[in-house]
Amino acid sequence: MGNDREHMSRDSASVATPAGHTRQLLSLLILVALLAAAYWLLTHQPTGARPSAPTLVVLPLRPVGETPDEKILAEGLSEELITRLARTDGLRVISSTSGTRAQAENLDLEKLGERLHVTHALEGSLRQAGQQLRIDLRLIEVPGGHMLWAQAYDRNLADVFSIEREIAQSVARALALRLGVGNADTAEVDPQLFRDYLQARRLANGAERAQGAEMLRAIVAKAPNYARAHASLARILATNLHPGPIATGEVEEAANEAARALELDPNLAETQTALAILACRSGEWSRCIEFFRHALTLDPADSDTRTSYAYWLGGLGFVEDALREVEIGWSCDPLNYNANFVRARVLDTLGRHDEAKDYLESATPESGGLVYARWHNAIWRNDLVAARKFAAAMPQSDGFRESYAGITEALADPARWTQVQPMIGTSERATGRVNTLRIMMPNPDFSIEIAGLETMLRNGWPSYYLLLWMPEYSVMRQDPAFQDFLKRTQLIDFWRSTRWPPRCHAQGDGARCD
């Protein structure tokens, strides 16, 4: 009997063992599958993955009527709301350019999440009847569409600033956030004067810059205590929108307008931006950085100021810092041409040319400078086929196409270099500017190239001065002309008093920049 039990026990064990192994193997396979799924989710987040912090897009208010005044007011109030909301603690706000493009492209909630990476959208309409305003707003979750808050405002136009404040506070409360500092109301202003100001700013920030500046001059003449108009005029005059130096009279006027705006209201971001640009142009590097930082504290969603700051940082040798700033600017304005273009240029400066190519392709709509940036990027990627295509697409009227096409072919066949030098000379005589292609010539005269790049740095235009810091042209930084440049621009003094760029260190009375 005992033997039978022992036999049965052995038999049971022999039968149970394969089944146990099977269960163990199955459990192991399930565990592996779960781990693989978890890894995939962690490493394959969709482009529109929900940000960890609330991110808001303010879609431009839709004017109910058809009058030009109503449209200007709707656009202006939308931009004002963005500036106020951008100072909400813990909230990232999309800049007006991307919000406007998103609305123009009729992006649905899912596409808003994918392309702008937002969690919420504020949308609504504006109706104006004489001096009365009706503003209807709603705050919705993206991409679900759940409405968190809605409100209608029936007020007099003269109360526009208090309306802005109330809206910003209500949105912040709905998101369980706190409105940040710097949201105090501006002194009340005549409603018609406010409309005129919004129209002037709209023109000045678009293609009709000169007309907008003249309108702002008329406004400050009529209302000399209107700080916003002084600040906007100062910024427009200080911002160089064309190659070459701005006139001395414009520099003086910009400085005077900025000083008056600062006296009337020290908390206007445009004033700080104007002061930053003026300081940079005069080589006052510490003040330049200080003013830019203050401007971005007052208006964190101003991607144009942030990309301008990034350009100057890069020009001063702090290219990694420039990339961090432009990445912040891009995250607030991913559909903005300039945000994509500047990000590409800074990436190219760091030698990350494949990444730069992607952002150049995202820079839309097309502009005159884009084809030149694409040509350089193709050259740095050793893609001569693409470089030929971009050279052929350059406008003949610019005066540079022949030299770009000539260098493209010389890079493929060095025997053609002798043909390129006359092309560069012709382009310089025709345009009155140094052709930066000199840097690619065999045995270039770096003193000529560096002098040309210094002029571009001083003028804040264009981005070519970033060539100073590219890994491809490190030999230029070993030339005596580069040491002269550092001393002449007082860059070396700035570095000594603050910090050194990552690739530079002190060497005697100069610096070595690898």
Side-chain angles (χ1 to χ4, degrees), residues 213-466:
E214 285 304 313
M215 283 192 68
L216 286 169
R217 288 187 177 104
I219 291 171
V220 298
K222 179 181 178 182
N225 293 330
Y226 193 9
R228 288 183 173 211
H230 286 287
S232 294
L233 181 56
R235 178 172 179 171
I236 290 158
L237 294 172
T239 303
N240 190 5
L241 300 181
H242 52 84
I246 58 177
T248 302
E250 280 193 331
V251 173
E252 293 176 354
E253 185 183 7
N256 291 335
E257 293 297 328
R260 180 59 176 154
L262 193 64
E263 177 187 356
L264 293 167
D265 186 345
N267 293 316
L268 293 176
E270 286 194 304
T271 305
Q272 300 296 321
T273 299
L275 291 169
I277 294 171
L278 291 172
C280 290
R281 286 182 177 278
S282 61
E284 300 174 75
W285 306 122
S286 294
R287 285 167 54 82
C288 161
I289 301 301
E290 177 187 349
F291 285 130
F292 267 125
R293 287 175 177 169
H294 193 185
L296 291 169
T297 299
L298 293 170
D299 190 357
D302 187 344
S303 64
D304 287 338
T305 290
R306 197 171 293 275
T307 53
S308 180
Y309 178 37
Y311 265 149
W312 286 103
L313 280 173
L316 300 181
F318 299 101
V319 186
E320 291 80 4
D321 290 0
L323 181 60
R324 282 191 290 272
E325 290 297 330
V326 81
E327 285 174 344
I328 295 171
W330 183 90
S331 71
C332 291
D333 214 355
L335 305 186
N336 187 338
Y337 167 90
N338 208 34
N340 284 283
F341 182 87
V342 179
R343 189 169 186 176
R345 288 294 298 114
V346 175
L347 285 167
D348 265 335
T349 305
L350 290 168
R352 294 161 59 176
H353 305 306
D354 289 330
E355 293 174 71
K357 176 177 177 288
D358 293 337
Y359 288 101
L360 287 173
E361 291 174 351
S362 297
T364 57
E366 295 281 337
S367 80
L370 185 58
V371 68
Y372 293 96
R374 284 179 168 168
W375 181 89
H376 279 94
N377 175 263
I379 291 296
W380 294 323
R381 290 185 294 104
N382 297 313
D383 185 352
L384 293 182
V385 173
R388 287 189 182 98
K389 180 184 71 172
F390 295 134
M394 292 173 184
Q396 184 70 43
S397 58
D398 285 358
F400 292 109
R401 185 170 72 180
E402 185 180 26
S403 60
Y404 275 81
I407 274 202
T408 306
E409 299 310 319
L411 289 169
D413 179 7
R416 299 194 179 195
W417 278 117
T418 55
Q419 303 170 20
V420 176
Q421 185 66 48
M423 296 177 184
I424 289 179
T426 299
S427 69
E428 290 177 335
R429 287 189 294 274
T431 62
R433 303 202 304 272
V434 170
N435 189 331
T436 57
L437 295 181
R438 284 181 173 275
I439 201 171
M440 297 183 182
M441 294 287 293
N443 304 313
D445 184 341
F446 286 125
S447 63
I448 296 176
E449 185 69 20
I450 289 173
L453 295 177
E454 179 184 347
T455 300
M456 294 173 182
L457 174 64
R458 295 281 197 181
N459 295 339
W461 181 279
S463 65
Y464 288 122
Y465 55 72
L466 294 177

Side-chain angles (χ1 to χ4, degrees), residues 122-162:
L122 182 66
E123 62 178 15
S125 62
L126 178 145
R127 180 193 295 273
Q128 181 181 3
Q131 298 302 308
Q132 291 300 119
L133 290 180
R134 166 86 180 193
I135 301 174
D136 289 286
L137 291 171
R138 65 179 189 139
L139 178 68
I140 56 178
E141 289 184 337
V142 176
H146 173 66
M147 186 167 65
L148 295 180
W149 168 83
Q151 182 68 47
Y153 297 85
D154 291 291
R155 302 288 176 81
N156 191 284
L157 181 57
D159 299 326
V160 64
F161 297 127
S162 63

Side-chain angles (χ1 to χ4, degrees), residues 441-493:
M441 294 287 293
N443 304 313
D445 184 341
F446 286 125
S447 63
I448 296 176
E449 185 69 20
I450 289 173
L453 295 177
E454 179 184 347
T455 300
M456 294 173 182
L457 174 64
R458 295 281 197 181
N459 295 339
W461 181 279
S463 65
Y464 288 122
Y465 55 72
L466 294 177
L467 293 172
L468 280 166
W469 301 107
M470 291 192 64
E472 285 82 355
Y473 309 123
S474 60
V475 64
M476 177 169 58
R477 298 191 289 275
Q478 313 312 315
D479 193 271
F482 183 73
Q483 297 298 318
D484 294 339
F485 159 77
L486 294 180
K487 294 172 184 176
R488 191 168 55 246
T489 59
Q490 298 181 318
L491 257 181
I492 189 115
D493 297 327

